[in-house]
Amino acid sequence: MLPPQSYVNISFFQPPAFLMIGIPGLEAIHTWLAIPFSSMYTVALTGNCLILLAVKRTPSLHQPMYYFLCMLALTDVGLTLSTLPTTLAVLWFNYRLIGFNACLVQMFFLHSFSVAESSVLLAMSFDRFVAISNPLRYATVLTNNVIIRIGLAIVARATVSLFPVPFLLKRLNYCPGKILLSHSFCFHADVMKQACADITVNILYGLYVVLSTVGVDSLLIVLSYTLILYTVMRLASPRERIRALNTCVSHILAVLVFYIPVIGVSMIHRFGRHLPHIVHALVAYVYLVVPPVLNPIIYSVKSKPIREAMLKVLRRKGQS
């Protein structure tokens, strides 16, 4: 008979680590795939950091619209850094292990930055609505204090929404033989499927988080642009209408770049279980990697003040 201190709870199991597949079916060319992924991460980090430096060093850009753009750039940097270490480790070095707790931490930050990005896009739509519907009060409505409060509310919302998720996963009993993750990072839907327990609470809470953040934000963004269109159509001059709508083009493109992959990921995880694993993986990569890459490109192409400020920063770097 074993002594009391030798008893262990063999009915509850948590894996010490998970094994990340990377891109299922394309393991043989992971090294080649590492080149475009490294390029995209470089573009994302360089472009978003350039935006931050450009706004900081250009006094004429110290306006609400560009402060919100800085928030978007910060969330894109955070989203990129959340997936970069494990993705490049898998693709370049075939290092596929990630500790259980490290996986939960990565998952928390990954989804938190995603929720924050959705919130920032909503704040930017509110900024455009105020600028177009009531331009005379724009500076008095969106003061620096208001913008700081909006930024703090975005951080608090993302943190509070995602804080329970790691603990809900940590309480689950996992199967000893199920440690394969179908991405090169820890995705909530992927991790909870490794459990040998009832995950109804996890599914329901995950659905609640998606609906209460991204779902609500998307509806409010649509409402904002409905009101913006109503305001624009009341302008007498066609030239004024075009000028007003042109200020929204960059934001509309950023919204589409973010929300289309989000909808794709949600639909595939809910209804696409019969699809090959590679489809799940590729949609997840598009959702997490593409927006941080495209947002700086969109704003540098469509916004002349941002483009000129970014070029000035690059010239200063070149001269120094």
Side-chain angles (χ1 to χ4, degrees), residues 86-100:
T86 51
T87 299
L88 294 187
V90 170
L91 297 180
W92 276 117
F93 309 109
N94 198 33
Y95 186 82
R96 302 195 294 160
L97 282 176
I98 182 169
F100 181 77

Side-chain angles (χ1 to χ4, degrees), residues 251-267:
H251 179 252
I252 291 171
L253 291 174
V255 167
L256 293 175
V257 163
F258 178 77
Y259 280 101
I260 289 175
V262 165
I263 293 168
V265 167
S266 300
M267 296 296 287

Side-chain angles (χ1 to χ4, degrees), residues 200-276:
T200 303
V201 173
N202 300 72
I203 293 172
L204 291 176
Y205 187 74
L207 185 60
Y208 162 74
V209 170
V210 170
L211 292 177
S212 64
T213 55
V214 177
V216 170
D217 292 350
S218 60
L219 291 175
L220 292 175
I221 289 171
V222 170
L223 176 62
S224 295
Y225 274 101
T226 303
L227 296 173
I228 287 171
L229 281 174
Y230 176 74
T231 303
V232 168
M233 295 310 292
R234 292 169 62 190
L235 296 174
S237 168
R239 183 176 293 179
E240 288 179 359
R241 294 176 188 174
I242 293 171
R243 188 184 302 155
L245 289 174
N246 196 44
T247 63
C248 302
V249 171
S250 299
H251 179 252
I252 291 171
L253 291 174
V255 167
L256 293 175
V257 163
F258 178 77
Y259 280 101
I260 289 175
V262 165
I263 293 168
V265 167
S266 300
M267 296 296 287
I268 281 179
H269 276 291
R270 298 291 182 274
F271 310 110
R273 295 175 185 176
H274 62 285
L275 294 172

Side-chain angles (χ1 to χ4, degrees), residues 11-13 167-175 178 188 191-205 273:
S11 64
F12 185 80
F13 175 79
F167 298 99
L168 289 174
L169 288 170
K170 206 168 176 63
R171 71 185 177 86
L172 296 175
N173 184 30
Y174 291 81
C175 303
K178 291 178 69 177
H188 177 244
V191 174
M192 71 179 179
K193 288 177 183 176
Q194 311 308 313
C196 288
D198 185 7
I199 58 172
T200 303
V201 173
N202 300 72
I203 293 172
L204 291 176
Y205 187 74
R273 295 175 185 176

Side-chain angles (χ1 to χ4, degrees), residues 4 18 20 23 25 34 42 75 78 111-112 131-132 141 179 284 294 305 311:
F18 288 112
M20 300 173 291
I23 303 178
T42 301
T75 57
H111 290 293
S112 293
I132 291 172
V141 172
I179 60 168
L294 290 184
L311 289 173

